[in-house]
């Protein structure tokens, strides 16, 4: 079986393992106070063109989201998010477990707009019974979204200006950041994101690392005491260098971008093949995740040879399925899948 | 500088890195549903002689403690612990952040007794205003304790019987489990611990792994839905095999025990050298952590060549210092330190 | 100005004040251990025909909801509720502040059905990634709902059977219980509610008391240690008799039911007048709250003489407005309003 | 039996009941937006000489403490308090339930000092592993303390200056404020307290009201959005005027101070009688609570006629007992008790 189920079915990019092996016996201080973390932070700040920002390394996405959000909100505040946002759906109520409601905005493609945020803020602020409702205290975006869509530079700038106008921070979850930045549809850079967002994270786990996410805090008001929050929520590794080494390697010579770009290329080739066979898609993803809508027969056809992720029923006879690529996806596997897609077209 | 500051200054045991490299390109399901996790669990259950227990892998100690404790307690309950317990002191209020008070029992050497627990329970249950107080809902131990002391089989059995008598679970934090089990003073096995405790964890991070702790749940009532808790608290790795592989390696051919036994041997050699020079100790640790009490001059003497951890002031002119060994400690480093300890004795 | 804004614009029923004055100098134990609380509990249990149930008195609705719900759920669980449910909208995230997500079900009239609950439970239980989602752990209803609609005996029985089938408790918020039970549309008794629900509360604040809600717990498994929860959440009054006296008076000679029935009668007379003038309504409330949909001119017409509550815009030129009656509403006021409703009809 | 068990065994001062009866049928807006609340706030601000402060009315002490403290602290922060502080002992972990640790300072008489706070802050700030510990984020005092002792103006000023030096708010719990301010030992005024504290509350429940506490916020930074917190924690009464009326009455013509002064006078007469008979006391209370240390025989002697509160064992043969007075204590009861104290002296 060839596995396209997710972007975390293999281990880490080999250069990471090499560096881990090479530095294994070096003695370094714990809890992220090591030279590898320092070096990785410097590289991240450089590419973000945000020399005054803070960088912190955390273990995984859910933990990063809950730690960042709980560090920002006061008890009566909630976080605005798309109704398909990861924090709203697939983190077992991690945000609520820290005491905060996720306030959802309707979204057809996973994105939300500055206008939606502004309308929500105004409605709340003008309500005579606003103290009986959760106060929106920040905005959460994912880039790319859970269904692989992107924010344009204009859309992100709008959101940023709206947030600043209402005095609430903008937070961007970049679990799959690399695949968004290297999509042919994208016009954002990490520097743009650093300029628009008060805090965001650059995903490692799904972009070639074993684990680890890099939180970048650009807003001075949000920097204070962040390490306490990491420790309290269980995100501070004793052997912190484990994540430092990985980001150090990934941000050396654009490795992070190069491997993600290749993965996106593979995904778009798969997309094209499906399109050629008249298959339609859930959402419009130009990133490493593709969501073709297949009949039960088509599903069965692929199921004999490929592992994909069931994403939901589209209607009684159709299912949405996710095919994912990553740094580890082999060209041969992609070619074989494409060939089978065309074979499927001929058959059914 | 030679670093004895902690047992997490190097990376992982080389066999772990080898296995990670060897299996890197294998495709496995995420979130711990992979064959390495399965194999590691089977090995752990075998050595615990607890075939019906559940095993789960989490990222780090603080996270494991907060996840386990919050999964057990109801909102009005707290956890009994020694006043020096890790959850009481050095986890940034992680337990309180989940809504629960740590109820401390006085302890001179880091351990608590069944009699202390029984007295606390009786006092609470007999109080006419008990509903105005936090109800003790479970007991937390660390083995070895934060200052390297151990529970004997008799002491642990007492605690276990007391807890069962009062209907509250007993939880044991084994962040440094390997160093306790292989201490010459120890008379407990993992099977004993599995029999006495309702839930406990076997520490990986400080015993040779890069990261990772193995939670063992023996009490059926505590097993239900535990995976939800792991996910909610951010402890579920997408690439879950990262921890599975490590425990699989560590529990192959007793590697876990062998490397810890060697580390304890090194620590006791260092201890003996200090004792020969008339140095006294904080607590009585027969494990991999040694806490000599040094004068400022002695501190300065070692400070030129060795990194140790400042543990606190003993009095105005004396400091408690921690020297730690691990799987990675080299015999040459230990010999050199011992030789310097004797040199110190001659000098000051 | 005549105030129909809510059912809490006056103080308490005069018989309550009389009893408070009469017993003021009696010395009683604190925290609800007084004879008035005992007597009130006995009366409530009798009318509920639930001699083995527990009764507790709390201060207000939001507090009752958060205390009951947080006492029941485990950390990874949420509470199912209609999307217009009070806990979902108008309690400032009180449930989330205790760590739990409110899982909303779509509802057009404020009620939800057993079928909806069953479908949600099945979807969750069958999901392969259910551990990444909040587990539904109980169901919340309000009776009457926030928009004045009712559950029939059949509907409540369905919900009860569904909950029991899936092993989750059913909780009913009866902030305006009296107005529901005495509605001409109602076919439920308190005994029926006690039989169908695992826990519910009988509202005092909005039904003639100064403050206070009576929680009835029929499910043995939910009774244990409930007083700890009340104390922890700040709901335990030192002078607990204040609430005991009120329920003692309200449940003497059916006062609670009689005053609510009269209030509902007033509300339905107002409803009828609006209907006669061709005014339509938001929802279908046969209780003490009426939600006519008025033009801006009609709103202005009433605004000179009556205080009502703005409930929301129906469309650009129409507003939903709430007129409330209570034990304190005077017949003259109702007659005057009705006469003005007809006058409005003639004018505009 | 004559009841000296607490200061909440009777109802409310009769003037309060009179005003409630008199205003019962007036129609006022809910949630504290009524003229009685406004009038009471104005009176409180005047006596505090703090015209720019905010006043809010909450239901009870535990609720007030948890609402105020949770509104101030960030998640990684705790509250410093005396180890006998009410929040540390007798609120069922209400503070921890909001996510925050109570950091206790040792205290022999219930008070803490500016020097203790300063030492704790410096230790924390200088620690190299401070991020592994809860950050002290505010200070909690009770005045009078749980054992009836007082802070002098000098002591409170020291604490205030220390808190401001370290940038943390000072909060004072005045559940029994009236009995402290009217003690002959006291040199503080409400204006002094308003000047020294960032936030404090004036207790109603134990000082003549049915229920209710008045929170005064003098620090502008702590004022924002406080009403959201009250609502979220369940402390916002629909019929908010119930508390407004009570404080309006209590702060008319110094009623609050006059009734508390009388109660303290009664308590000190009882104290004197015990002293004359050679009885010693727990702590040194010059307020309405007296804690004589009695033998078992003496306890039995009083137990036939008086209800007092068992406070704890002093040694094997002696118990600490609490005798409380209040606005409702009758002079005849006090005289009878004094006479019996002397009778006890003659007998045993």
């Amino acid at each position: 079986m060839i596995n396209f189920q997710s972007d975390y079915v293999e281990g880490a990019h080999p250069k990471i393992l090499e560096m881990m092996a090479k530095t294994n016996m070096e003695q370094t201080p714990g809890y992220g106070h090591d030279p590898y973390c320092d070096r990785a932070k410097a590289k991240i700040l450089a590419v973000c063109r945000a020399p005054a920002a803070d960088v912190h390394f955390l273990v995984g996405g859910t933990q990063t989201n809950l730690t960042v959000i709980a560090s920002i909100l006061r008890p009566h505040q909630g976080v605005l998010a798309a109704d398909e946002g990861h924090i709203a759906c697939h983190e077992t109520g991690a945000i609520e477990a820290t005491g905060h409601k996720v306030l959802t905005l309707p979204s057809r493609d996973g994105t939300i707009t500055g206008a939606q945020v502004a309308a929500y803020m105004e409605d709340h602020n003008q309500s005579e019974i606003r103290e009986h409702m959760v106060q929106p205290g920040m905005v959460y975006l994912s880039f790319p979204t859970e269904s692989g869509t992107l924010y344009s530079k204009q859309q992100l700038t709008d959101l940023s200006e709206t947030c600043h106008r209402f005095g609430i921070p903008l937070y961007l979850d970049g679990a799959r950041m690399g695949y968004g930045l290297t999509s042919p549809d994208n016009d954002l850079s990490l520097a743009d994101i650093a300029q628009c967002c008060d805090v965001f994270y650059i995903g490692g786990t799904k972009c070639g690392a074993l684990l680890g996410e890099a939180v970048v805090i650009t807003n001075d008001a949000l920097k204070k005491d962040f390490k306490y929050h990491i420790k309290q929520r269980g995100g501070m590794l004793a052997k912190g260098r484990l994540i430092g080494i990985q980001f150090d390697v990934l941000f050396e010579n654009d490795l992070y971008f190069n491997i993600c770009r290749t993965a996106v290329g593979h995904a778009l080739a798969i997309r094209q093949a499906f399109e050629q066979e008249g298959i339609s898609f859930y959402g419009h993803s130009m990133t490493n995740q593709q969501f073709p809508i297949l009949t039960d027969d088509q599903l069965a056809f692929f199921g004999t040879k490929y592992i994909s992720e069931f994403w939901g029923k589209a209607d009684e006879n159709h299912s949405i399925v996710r095919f994912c690529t990553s740094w580890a996806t082999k060209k041969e596997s992609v070619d074989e899948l494409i060939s089978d897609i065309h074979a499927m077209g001929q058959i059914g």
Side-chain angles (χ1 to χ4, degrees), chain A:
Chain A
M1 299 290 280
I2 306 177
N3 195 331
F4 286 99
Q5 190 174 14
S6 73
D7 30 25
Y8 40 83
V9 293
E10 292 93 357
H13 191 276
K15 280 192 203 294
I16 286 173
L17 294 188
E18 274 167 40
M19 179 69 94
M20 281 171 55
K22 191 174 137 194
T23 61
N24 193 48
M25 290 305 292
E26 287 179 20
Q27 296 189 315
T28 60
Y31 301 114
H33 300 289
D34 62 84
Y36 298 102
C37 284
D38 290 347
R39 219 156 70 183
K41 288 176 185 180
K43 288 179 181 171
I44 288 170
L45 292 179
V47 69
C48 291
R49 290 189 209 156
D54 279 1
V55 181
H56 300 275
F57 297 116
L58 280 86
V59 168
T62 296
Q63 187 179 73
T64 302
N65 286 335
L66 79 88
T67 304
V68 168
I69 291 169
S71 80
I72 290 175
L73 296 179
R74 294 184 65 205
H76 62 301
Q77 296 180 323
V79 52
L80 284 166
D83 50 13
E84 289 188 3
H86 208 255
I87 57 169
C89 301
H90 290 125
E91 302 191 350
T92 322
I95 305 306
E96 285 81 6
T98 69
H100 303 286
K101 192 181 185 91
V102 180
L103 303 164
T104 53
L105 295 171
S107 166
R108 234 169 312 173
D109 70 348
T111 66
I112 55 173
T113 66
Q116 279 182 295
V117 170
Y120 196 102
M121 294 302 297
E122 276 157 14
D123 275 3
H124 181 84
N125 291 342
Q126 286 163 15
S127 167
E128 285 189 15
I129 56 162
R130 60 184 173 279
E131 288 135 359
H132 297 235
M133 296 186 290
V134 175
Q135 186 184 71
M138 65 186 291
V139 171
Y140 165 94
L141 307 178
S142 24
F143 178 85
T145 67
E146 292 67 22
S147 53
T149 52
L150 300 174
Y151 288 90
S152 70
K153 190 164 176 174
Q154 184 56 53
Q155 289 169 325
L156 191 63
T157 304
D158 276 0
L159 278 157
S160 180
E161 286 173 1
T162 303
C163 286
H164 292 160
R165 180 150 56 95
F166 287 99
I168 59 175
L170 178 60
Y171 168 51
L172 185 147
D173 171 339
R176 293 191 167 90
M177 179 77 90
Y179 305 117
L181 294 175
T182 59
S183 165
D185 268 17
N186 175 57
D187 66 350
L188 280 167
S189 67
L190 268 183
D192 295 331
I193 288 172
Q195 195 144 28
C196 286
C197 298
D198 298 274
V199 52
F200 62 100
Y201 85 83
I202 303 170
T205 308
K206 292 168 181 165
C207 299
L210 286 166
L211 85 175
E213 324 294 330
V215 174
V216 182
I217 310 179
T218 60
N219 181 334
D220 286 346
L222 307 182
K223 291 176 180 171
K224 193 167 181 321
D225 293 340
F226 191 72
K227 273 186 174 285
Y228 286 86
H229 297 273
I230 302 176
K231 176 63 186 166
Q232 186 185 66
R233 305 300 180 177
M236 189 178 282
L237 289 185
K239 294 179 179 171
R241 73 196 207 182
L242 170 59
I243 306 182
I245 288 170
Q246 296 186 84
F247 276 94
D248 187 25
V249 170
L250 287 171
F251 279 80
E252 179 75 19
N253 291 330
D254 287 339
L255 181 63
Y256 187 77
F257 301 96
N258 293 335
I259 61 178
C260 288
R261 189 175 295 110
T262 304
V264 170
H266 288 329
L268 296 184
I270 295 168
R271 178 181 188 87
Q272 194 182 29
F274 275 120
E275 282 176 340
Q276 287 167 349
E277 300 304 329
I279 298 293
S280 64
F281 290 86
Y282 172 72
H284 178 76
S285 169
M286 295 296 280
T287 66
N288 77 315
Q289 302 186 88
Q290 294 300 323
F291 302 90
I293 299 174
L294 303 179
T295 64
D296 293 346
D297 285 351
Q298 291 165 341
L299 209 58
F301 174 82
F302 288 110
T304 60
K305 196 162 155 192
Y306 302 96
I307 304 174
S308 59
E309 175 95 355
F310 174 75
W311 206 250
K313 296 294 289 183
D315 60 38
E316 212 158 307
N317 308 309
H318 290 81
S319 295
I320 305 163
V321 174
R322 181 177 74 171
F323 285 82
C324 256
T325 60
S326 78
W327 68 272
T329 305
K330 293 176 191 155
K331 181 144 192 339
E332 310 88 85
S333 305
V334 174
D335 290 344
E336 198 166 334
L337 174 58
I338 288 173
S339 148
D340 282 325
I341 291 168
H342 293 309
M344 169 208 77
Q346 289 163 342
I347 293 162

